[in-house]
Amino acid sequence: MDTQQVSAPSRAPSAGVVHINIRLTDGYTVISNRLSQHRGLSLLAIGLGTYIQSLPDGWRIGVKALAARFPESEVRIAAALRELEQHGFLRRTRERVGGGRLATRTESYNHPEAAVRGRGRGRPAAPVVPAAARAVPVAAAGPAGGPAPEPVREPEPARVPEPEPVREPEPARVPEPEPARVPESVRVAVLESEPVRAPLPEPEPEPEPEPVPVPVPAPALVPAPAPGPRPVPTPTAPRKPRVPLPAPQRPTEGLYAAAAGLLAGLHRTAPLFLLSEEDVRGLVPGVAAWLERGARPDAVRAAITDDPPVPLRHPAKLLRHRLATLIPPPPPAAVPVVPLQNCDHCDRAFRSSAPGRCRGCRDARACADEPCPTGA
């Protein structure tokens, strides 16, 4: 039993791109199809995003630096960077550096959706290790097969007693002196003075905590609409009427013979257009109409045979369609020319359809027969 040859080369496609790939070992970058085949980005933005992802960390990618590297203007490069930011492939933030200056930090993403989900969940906190797990393990069994000793635990740090707060001594209270007794006959207003107490020190204001910058969530990425199914007409749908094949206005035998010779010789310059006798007979009126309108035979041959579809299944139908839709307009109608005549009296040349006298001789004769209104 014969074995099937599995190493036979696959048949190359008849149309479209064919990749000739060579295995790379250095000098390459892995680019996601989310960027290279993005439907919402322009071709300039896709190329600029690919270039940015191929750069090492710390490389400057400002608008002026990119304009000095590429022939595009700063306006087009800035628009492409905004497209990458809008779709999540690029993120630029302003941060403070030493000396009170601001610097732009740029982050490039090859998977924007995963990056947005990671920022939404936040970073996980570090796990807390219990004290029992911090014990130093020793050998599982003692010497000579004895029982395993207990694990040696790290000594816990001794607790230092917290110092008791020192209470400030209260100020001594001075006894209030008793007011002197004044006889009833003399009434004296005595102002009682309160003892002066030492003011307590005001507590120092606690420093206000610095505001923690709240990260601004990145705009949600709107997925590009998926291309809908392409509408296909049903077999019963009405079709567009076919353009009729043109015909000459004044057919002659010589005109039809020239058209038939042109169609019969098409296969010499275009081998795909080898027509049968019946096809030539049906297409002769269309070629004769082109020749009647002043088209040269080589121009007609190039117009109906250049750039055929691949594969070409029906050459005669293609020729009929091109003869009907690409026919040149008719030439403008010729203006009738009035011939020249010589005057029978003065022998001057004048234009007229019939011989006779010119206008001057006719006017002079009319004045001679009748009295001239000018008195001459």
Side-chain angles (χ1 to χ4, degrees):
M1 180 177 179
D2 296 338
T3 57
Q4 186 179 3
Q5 296 183 0
V6 296
S7 60
S10 59
R11 184 180 180 184
S14 59
V17 65
V18 178
H19 295 280
I20 310 299
N21 295 331
I22 299 175
R23 184 177 180 84
L24 302 177
T25 58
D26 58 351
Y28 64 91
T29 303
V30 179
I31 302 297
S32 173
N33 286 342
R34 293 177 178 84
L35 173 62
S36 60
Q37 298 182 8
H38 201 282
R39 292 182 176 271
L41 290 175
S42 63
L43 190 59
L44 177 59
I46 292 175
L48 187 56
T50 303
Y51 172 74
I52 291 174
Q53 291 195 8
S54 67
L55 295 176
D57 291 345
W59 199 272
R60 293 185 177 274
I61 58 168
V63 176
K64 295 187 178 296
L66 292 173
R69 169 65 176 80
F70 297 101
E72 282 76 12
S73 62
E74 295 184 5
V75 177
R76 296 187 63 191
I77 291 177
L81 290 175
R82 286 194 296 269
E83 285 187 51
L84 293 173
E85 277 190 288
Q86 182 181 0
H87 291 86
F89 290 96
L90 207 66
R91 186 186 182 195
R92 293 183 288 185
T93 56
R94 304 280 286 179
E95 296 182 355
R96 292 186 178 274
V97 296
R101 295 176 300 172
L102 292 175
T104 302
R105 178 177 177 177
T106 307
E107 298 176 352
S108 176
Y109 298 92
N110 63 347
H111 197 315
E113 294 84 355
V116 169
R117 291 196 296 268
R119 286 199 300 267
R121 291 194 297 268
R123 295 182 177 179
V128 179
V129 180
R134 292 197 297 266
V136 179
V138 294
E150 296 182 357
V152 180
R153 300 178 181 270
E154 294 182 356
E156 296 183 357
R159 296 183 179 178
V160 181
E162 299 180 357
E164 297 182 358
V166 180
R167 297 181 180 179
E168 297 182 356
E170 298 181 358
R173 296 183 179 180
V174 181
E176 299 179 358
E178 296 181 359
R181 295 181 180 180
V182 184
E184 294 180 0
S185 59
V186 182
R187 295 181 179 179
V188 181
V190 181
L191 297 177
E192 298 180 356
S193 59
E194 297 181 355
V196 180
R197 297 184 179 180
L200 297 177
E202 297 181 358
E204 297 181 357
E206 297 181 357
E208 297 181 357
E210 297 182 358
V212 179
V214 180
V216 180
L221 296 177
V222 180
R230 197 173 176 184
V232 178
T234 58
T236 58
R239 296 184 179 181
K240 187 177 179 180
R242 189 169 59 175
V243 181
L245 188 68
Q249 297 292 333
R250 288 182 289 273
T252 60
E253 186 176 353
L255 193 65
Y256 274 91
L262 189 148
L263 290 170
L266 285 180
H267 66 278
R268 297 189 183 96
T269 57
L272 296 177
F273 294 91
L274 181 59
L275 304 177
S276 63
E277 184 179 356
E278 184 179 357
D279 293 337
V280 172
R281 191 181 301 109
L283 297 175
V284 160
V287 178
W290 282 57
L291 298 177
E292 185 186 35
R293 297 189 180 190
R296 295 181 304 175
D298 56 345
V300 177
R301 188 181 298 106
I304 63 179
T305 60
D306 281 356
D307 195 17
V310 179
L312 180 60
R313 296 186 176 88
H314 305 286
K317 290 184 179 180
L318 177 64
L319 294 179
R320 177 187 176 86
H321 173 74
R322 290 186 174 182
L323 287 172
T325 57
L326 303 180
I327 184 172
V335 180
V337 180
V338 181
L340 289 172
Q341 305 289 345
N342 289 336
C343 180
D344 296 340
H345 181 70
C346 63
D347 202 24
R348 286 183 179 179
F350 68 98
R351 292 192 179 275
S352 176
S353 58
R357 293 188 178 188
C358 63
R359 179 178 296 180
C361 293
R362 289 197 303 268
D363 293 345
R365 185 175 181 178
C367 288
D369 294 343
E370 300 178 359
C372 187
T374 59

